[in-house]
Amino acid sequence: MNFSLSAKPIATTKADCLVIGLPEKGTWPESTTQADEALGGLIKTLETNGDVTGKNATARAIPVQDAPWDRIVVVGTGKDSDRTLQNYRKALIAAVNAVKDTPAKSALIALADTGVSGTEAASSEAARLKLIGRSLEEHLYAFTGYKSKQPEAPKLNKVTVGASGTGKALKDAFHLGLATGRGMNYTRDLGNTPPNICHPEWLAEQARTLAKENDCIQTEILDEKQMKELGMNTILAVGQGSAQPPRLIVMEYRGGKPDDKPYVLVGKGITFDTGGISLKPGAGMDEMKYDMGGSASVFGTMKVLTEVQPKINVVAVVAAAENMPDGGASRPGDIVTTLSGQTVEILNTDAEGRLVLCDALTYVKKYDPEAVIDLATLTGACIIALGHHATGLMANNDGLANDLLAAGERADDRAWRLPLWDDYQNQLDSNFADMANIGDRSAGTITAACFLARFTKEYRWAHLDIAGTAWHSGKAKGASGRPVPMLVDYLMSNADS
């Protein structure tokens, strides 16, 4: 797909399809006014007759004649006062999907001059171009590599986005948006890959490939022998029931000054989760291939960094294992010693994500990090609490938590903070070890984070529970690519200019 910016008047820019925004109430954007003049008042007539509407996220394709375009797609953008960042993105998604449904090979998107109200997140043209770029990549995505009969290739192969100029600031914003979308799609590719292919060593190979293709990435892979020598017994305990051995995958991006402390991302990489001896119900277990969604998002974020190369140091650590129930698997009642020296009584082998993460979170202390963010499809309780809209966020530092929340708002990849009070810690008490790996049924998302907090006292740390946001179920089944946009925004906001 060829993407570009253009500052040429749309009336002189040829394309098979022109996409314009139509507000429900309020002043038309300049691009829509220009298109209407070029079409002899057609858009106004269609609006007056009720053939098109400004209702948000509605879209209609209309053939036209004697114009630089064969058709126009009129996208409703709602009332000016209601055009939040979220509603604007809904309109962008409707626009992309409408263009895909036409036979157009080229499209001109004229939506960057549609204003957004109620937030500073998209108040600038650069911010809107970033969101347009991301939405184009995100919603032109398809995962079809495992179908024996491939669908027809999409006809659309060239997209031009109208802008007020093509200077460096606007180009960089658009490029960052496209790169973010591609990072999300890389995350989705990893998440959607079937678990008979996507296992810990396969994930390690993806890291090696990323380093081979990008000089700015260095990779180190720790195998089970090396982890045993270090004392990473909880990762090993989770993986010991599988024929696929666990791996600790380290990827380093060094774009900042040599002495700058790195930002560390830690991803849960359970490539398939049966629950182990504490076996999950069979219904829907196929979706447990998405239990490596945290690691996939770490990979996707690193992919974005290779494209935009910001001046920042980032270390990514993926704790990869497969949780299977064979004769050598961990049992409820087992006690293991973590890399930190603390002991854990495993009461439920299906609470394995926190076990692989705790050793990884201890391991990353060696980097003297500026901040550590872990990402994990950790608890079903988070879905009960927040549904599929918001990522659960818990942190031991208010500044870090607030920065991540703000990044999520700017990127329309939102999180909601839950408490991490010491009041919850006694739910993890064990009669036989320093702690149990689960509490009772109450506050499951919080007690999981409380478990991790015991390994993160020496640095600023935030935990993102993405169980409800990393993938879609049902007809739209597939990995979502979240929270790559939030992480990219956060890292870019902390990079040197």
Side-chain angles (χ1 to χ4, degrees), residues 21-102:
L22 182 68
E24 191 170 356
K25 284 186 180 180
T27 305
W28 283 11
E30 181 60 27
S31 57
T32 304
T33 300
Q34 290 180 13
D36 192 46
E37 290 173 355
L39 295 168
L42 174 63
I43 300 169
K44 189 65 177 177
T45 300
L46 291 170
E47 182 189 36
T48 301
N49 293 340
D51 293 301
V52 296
T53 174
K55 185 178 179 181
N56 192 60
T58 58
R60 182 171 180 186
I62 300 162
V64 295
Q65 295 180 336
D66 301 323
W69 330 287
D70 296 331
R71 63 192 56 79
I72 60 172
V73 169
V74 181
V75 181
T77 58
K79 299 175 183 177
D80 289 353
S81 58
D82 294 339
R83 196 174 305 119
T84 62
L85 179 65
Q86 290 74 33
N87 285 335
Y88 179 68
R89 196 164 82 88
K90 289 176 183 177
L92 294 179
I93 294 168
V96 176
N97 289 335
V99 173
K100 282 196 303 185
D101 289 339
T102 74

Side-chain angles (χ1 to χ4, degrees), residues 153-435:
K155 294 182 173 61
L156 186 67
N157 56 42
K158 181 181 179 182
V159 176
T160 303
V161 175
S164 64
T166 55
K168 186 177 186 303
L170 295 183
K171 277 187 174 180
D172 286 352
F174 184 54
H175 175 60
L176 177 57
L178 292 170
T180 301
R182 286 191 284 266
M184 293 178 72
N185 290 346
Y186 182 44
T187 294
R188 295 159 85 184
D189 281 345
L190 295 177
N192 290 332
T193 297
N196 57 319
I197 292 171
C198 178
H199 49 68
E201 177 55 32
W202 185 85
L203 272 185
E205 190 57 39
Q206 307 317 299
R208 295 187 187 100
T209 300
L210 195 64
K212 184 177 180 181
E213 295 176 349
N214 299 278
D215 293 339
C216 57
I217 298 287
Q218 294 183 341
T219 292
E220 180 184 9
I221 311 298
L222 276 65
D223 62 21
E224 64 272 34
K225 181 179 178 181
Q226 292 168 299
M227 286 189 280
K228 185 174 182 179
E229 290 174 352
L230 287 172
M232 305 182 84
N233 299 309
T234 50
I235 295 179
L236 295 171
V238 171
Q240 70 189 40
S242 172
Q244 300 291 346
R247 294 288 182 265
L248 190 80
I249 302 164
V250 181
M251 296 172 280
E252 295 190 40
Y253 169 83
R254 298 285 179 175
K257 298 174 184 177
D259 294 335
D260 288 348
K261 291 184 177 183
Y263 292 81
V264 176
L265 306 178
V266 177
K268 172 187 170 183
I270 301 298
T271 56
F272 193 76
D273 183 19
T274 65
I277 297 298
S278 306
L279 193 68
K280 291 178 179 289
M285 194 191 286
D286 60 293
E287 293 189 357
M288 286 301 97
K289 71 176 184 176
Y290 295 120
D291 211 16
M292 42 70 73
S295 65
S297 293
V298 166
F299 271 95
T301 302
M302 298 302 282
K303 178 78 169 176
V304 178
L305 297 182
T306 67
E307 289 200 36
V308 299
Q309 300 202 5
K311 296 178 181 179
I312 190 173
N313 295 330
V314 180
V315 176
V317 176
V318 168
E322 187 178 57
N323 189 20
M324 298 290 280
D326 83 347
S330 296
R331 296 155 292 251
D334 283 0
I335 294 177
V336 293
T337 302
T338 68
L339 178 59
S340 72
Q342 299 176 87
T343 59
V344 177
E345 182 184 12
I346 301 174
L347 297 182
N348 189 318
T349 64
D350 194 24
E352 84 299 327
R354 64 203 72 182
L355 297 177
V356 300
L357 286 174
C358 71
D359 274 353
L361 289 169
T362 301
Y363 180 83
V364 301
K365 288 192 297 185
K366 65 183 281 189
Y367 296 103
D368 187 21
E370 179 66 31
V372 177
I373 304 165
D374 80 68
L375 305 79
T377 50
L378 205 62
T379 65
C382 195
I383 304 174
I384 302 302
L386 299 176
H388 298 282
H389 301 290
T391 290
L393 186 155
M394 287 137 281
N396 64 9
N397 182 275
D398 290 342
L400 176 58
N402 291 335
D403 287 347
L404 285 167
L405 290 171
E409 290 291 339
R410 289 190 298 266
D412 192 26
D413 183 11
R414 292 182 290 181
W416 189 261
R417 190 178 183 185
L418 298 170
L420 194 63
W421 301 332
D422 285 343
D423 308 58
Y424 294 97
Q425 285 286 359
N426 62 9
Q427 292 178 231
L428 297 172
D429 288 348
S430 165
N431 288 356
F432 309 111
D434 295 333
M435 71 195 84

Side-chain angles (χ1 to χ4, degrees), residues 122-187:
S123 59
S124 69
E125 183 181 16
R128 293 192 293 274
L129 286 171
K130 182 167 64 175
L131 198 56
I132 290 170
R134 167 190 154 190
S135 299
L136 285 167
E137 285 283 7
E138 183 182 359
H139 293 281
L140 291 173
Y141 172 84
F143 187 79
T144 61
Y146 293 91
K147 290 182 178 290
S148 59
K149 184 177 181 180
Q150 289 295 303
E152 289 186 17
K155 294 182 173 61
L156 186 67
N157 56 42
K158 181 181 179 182
V159 176
T160 303
V161 175
S164 64
T166 55
K168 186 177 186 303
L170 295 183
K171 277 187 174 180
D172 286 352
F174 184 54
H175 175 60
L176 177 57
L178 292 170
T180 301
R182 286 191 284 266
M184 293 178 72
N185 290 346
Y186 182 44
T187 294

Side-chain angles (χ1 to χ4, degrees), residues 467-485:
T469 55
W471 79 90
H472 305 292
S473 299
K475 189 175 182 180
K477 180 179 176 180
S480 70
R482 295 179 65 185
V484 170

